[in-house]
Amino acid sequence: MIDQTSRLRLARQVRLKLDPRSGKQMLLYPERGLELNEIAARVAGLCAQERSVARTVAEIVDEMVAAAAGTPRERIETEVLEFLRALEDRGLLAVQKTGPHEPEDT
Amino acid sequence: MTARGMTDSPRPYTLIAELTYRCPLACGYCSNPLTLDRHTDELDTSAWSRVFAEAAALGILQVNLTGGEPLVRADLESLVAAARERDLYTNLITSGIPADGARLARLAAAGLDSVQISIQDTDPQGAAWIAGRDDSEAKLEMAAATRALGLPLTLNVVLHRGNIARVPELIALAERLGAARLELANTQYLGWALANREALLPARADVEEARRQALAARERLRGKIEVLFVRPDYYADRPRACMDGWARRYLLVTPDGIALPCHQALGITSLHWQNVRAHSLADLWNDAPSFRAFRGEDWMPDPCRTCDERETDFGGCRCQAFALLGDAAATDPACALAPRHDLVVAARLRAETPRATEPSPIRLRRLRSAS
């Protein structure tokens, strides 16, 4: 299960692609595609850079709070984590646990 | 691919490219047409490359390179490269035969994204019964080679009376091979499978037991292996949402260039099918009368036209209506509400009767002109 210390990247089978028809980002994987909304696309884009969950969530939350003032921080955090867990359930994330003393991303 | 409401316009996401009907195997449930001997004049490399380019321009995002057996195409590496050049997510749908790990490495280098290997049975005798030969060991080598190359592996198993008792062994095999996806898809009774229905249709209790095992495995393996189970529509009360609706999400091209909305549509001889050699993919998708024939709801008879589920199942399978009733616009007999559901009920009743010999003789799928 994903937690704040997990390091994430998209599983090797996954390609992030802009659908030229809809203008939306899609995650492509064997014989399937997942159309992403704006926030999901941002999260997937950060996963493509191999970040920790904590950094990914913090970055998205900062953007969202700035963009939509008044949205509670906890709610955004919960939604991002739920999306990541849904990706994990579908086998679309490569999740690596890091111990508390291992260095964070640099 | 992503399913949405029926009101949005038809848009193909996936091209099913049947590169050849040649195949070393002879599975008695093959999805190729019964008339495969008429379709041996295969499109060449440049014609397929043009099809891939037109597919990408039409909004298609994925291509399934299939057959027959795509590995028998000597130009498969070039075809993979041509598909990737158009940024298509490229799936190889193969029996794994002829097994050749070095060839698989060349296909990976050409840009292949994923590999699906068919497994006929975990029992070699069962595999030989359904496919005319047993290639179990070579298939396992190809599966291992796929994983060694870091490519995602799907195992596809077509379930039927002869192998449905071995679902637990098939799940264990997928785990051992490190598959990302396991498709446990029951035979649907069209084409070759309809010709072999007496030998292939399992009894209801066996289908339900297999389903219980598959659903338990899906929970246990969540996040590791995506386990899919598809019932035979003969044992569902409502029809399959066949191909996510007629000519709505998928476009198939046969080895000789005929454009179809699904694998079985050539069997609907009341429609006139057209060829990519003479027409662009966009013209075929948008304007061909055969593609427009069963889009939307206007074609639907009663009880479909007022059914609450018409946006879920799109009226079921047109090929099945034609195969069983000779009328592609009739209500799919798989539906319990269909006027001719009795045909399906009768087949189910026969499936409850033990056979004199199990497995029963079947008609193997052979290409007469095959090398």
Side-chain angles (χ1 to χ4, degrees):
Chain A
M1 186 84 153
I2 287 176
D3 61 38
Q4 293 283 351
T5 68
S6 310
R7 289 174 68 94
L8 300 177
R9 61 185 168 78
L10 293 176
R12 177 171 166 164
Q13 68 186 68
V14 180
R15 273 210 267 147
L16 187 62
K17 179 182 157 101
L18 183 71
D19 176 7
R21 276 293 194 84
S22 64
K24 293 192 172 162
Q25 291 285 347
M26 292 194 72
L27 286 183
L28 299 179
Y29 55 109
E31 297 189 58
R32 300 283 182 88
L34 200 60
E35 190 177 277
L36 304 178
N37 67 24
E38 210 174 313
I39 299 163
R42 187 80 184 98
V43 174
L46 288 173
C47 290
Q49 298 169 27
E50 188 163 2
R51 304 286 198 87
S52 72
V53 168
R55 269 193 64 177
T56 301
V57 171
E59 196 158 323
I60 299 281
V61 169
D62 287 346
E63 282 176 20
M64 291 282 297
V65 169
T71 312
R73 210 176 168 85
E74 299 72 33
R75 209 184 90 198
I76 300 169
E77 274 184 16
T78 308
E79 282 181 18
V80 172
L81 274 171
E82 276 175 8
F83 174 64
L84 289 172
R85 284 182 183 135
L87 291 184
E88 186 188 23
D89 275 355
R90 292 170 196 239
L92 303 182
L93 286 179
V95 181
Q96 207 185 341
K97 299 282 182 193
T98 52
H101 304 299
E102 288 180 52
E104 246 293 58
D105 350 13
T106 51
Chain B
M1 305 285 290
T2 322
R4 275 175 283 171
M6 202 166 175
T7 46
D8 60 358
S9 61
R11 180 251 163 106
Y13 282 98
T14 301
L15 172 70
I16 300 166
E18 292 185 333
L19 301 178
T20 179
Y21 285 150
R22 289 172 287 153
C23 183
L25 278 65
C27 302
Y29 49 67
C30 184
S31 65
N32 292 162
L34 286 159
T35 55
L36 37 89
D37 283 291
R38 291 183 212 156
H39 307 283
T40 53
D41 181 19
E42 295 174 6
L43 298 180
D44 64 12
T45 317
S46 69
W48 277 116
S49 301
R50 197 201 86 216
V51 169
F52 297 156
E54 291 182 2
L58 195 50
I60 283 174
L61 301 174
Q62 299 230 1
V63 61
N64 293 355
L65 301 176
T66 183
E69 174 47 61
L71 288 172
V72 307
R73 286 276 307 217
D75 60 350
L76 189 57
E77 289 84 344
S78 304
L79 294 173
V80 168
R84 282 305 305 267
E85 196 183 320
R86 304 299 170 177
D87 205 23
L88 297 170
Y89 193 99
T90 306
N91 305 288
L92 178 66
I93 312 295
T94 178
S95 69
I97 308 301
D100 182 347
R103 180 120 201 258
L104 202 56
R106 291 200 297 276
L107 294 168
L112 189 65
D113 285 297
S114 89
V115 178
Q116 174 183 309
I117 297 179
S118 65
I119 300 290
Q120 277 62 29
D121 205 325
T122 51
D123 170 43
Q125 280 187 319
W129 169 68
I130 194 68
R133 51 188 268 177
D134 169 44
D135 294 291
S136 302
E137 282 184 31
K139 282 168 177 275
L140 300 191
E141 281 167 25
M142 282 295 267
T146 301
R147 297 298 300 128
L149 288 163
L151 290 171
L153 171 68
T154 296
L155 294 188
N156 171 276
V157 187
V158 177
L159 296 176
H160 49 76
R161 195 175 179 93
N163 66 3
I164 197 160
R166 281 181 288 283
V167 163
E169 288 89 335
L170 290 159
I171 293 165
L173 179 67
E175 288 184 76
R176 202 162 68 241
L177 293 174
R181 191 165 131 101
L182 172 63
E183 296 180 353
L184 297 165
N186 272 276
T187 308
Q188 307 296 345
Y189 292 90
L190 297 152
W192 293 89
L194 181 56
N196 287 315
R197 189 176 66 185
E198 288 294 314
L200 296 180
L201 185 65
R204 183 189 287 274
D206 295 334
V207 173
E208 294 309 323
E209 177 58 22
R211 182 165 178 271
R212 272 192 296 280
Q213 289 157 348
L215 295 186
R218 178 187 299 170
E219 285 310 310
R220 182 171 61 81
L221 299 169
R222 188 174 294 283
K224 290 197 198 99
I225 306 181
E226 186 188 4
V227 179
L228 275 92
F229 183 87
V230 183
R231 269 205 182 95
D233 59 8
Y234 277 46
Y235 287 109
D237 286 337
R238 293 291 178 271
R240 276 175 300 132
C242 197
M243 305 305 279
D244 293 335
W246 179 271
R248 187 168 162 272
R249 295 285 177 257
Y250 291 88
L251 203 165
L252 179 147
V253 176
T254 66
D256 57 335
I258 301 171
L260 302 172
C262 74
H263 298 82
Q264 295 295 329
L266 262 185
I268 304 180
T269 50
S270 57
L271 292 175
H272 172 62
W273 300 106
Q274 292 168 294
N275 201 296
V276 300
R277 296 187 213 253
H279 304 275
S280 76
L281 226 46
D283 284 351
L284 291 164
W285 177 263
N286 293 319
D287 300 323
S290 53
F291 276 69
R292 298 168 68 105
F294 303 113
R295 275 188 180 137
E297 300 180 4
D298 290 348
W299 62 273
M300 286 184 180
D302 286 322
C304 305
R305 62 169 67 241
T306 54
C307 183
D308 287 344
E309 294 179 53
R310 67 187 185 280
E311 290 183 22
T312 305
D313 59 34
F314 308 104
C317 176
R318 299 300 88 225
C319 301
Q320 184 149 270
F322 189 84
L324 296 184
L325 303 170
D327 175 7
T331 301
D332 182 346
C335 182
L337 303 173
R340 293 309 312 273
H341 187 55
D342 62 295
L343 295 171
V344 164
V345 172
R348 281 201 311 239
L349 274 175
R350 286 196 297 281
E352 299 297 328
T353 316
R355 301 286 183 266
T357 54
E358 296 261 15
S360 312
I362 55 165
R363 179 178 164 199
L364 290 174
R365 171 258 198 232
R366 301 246 191 237
L367 193 61
R368 276 193 294 276
S369 56
S371 49

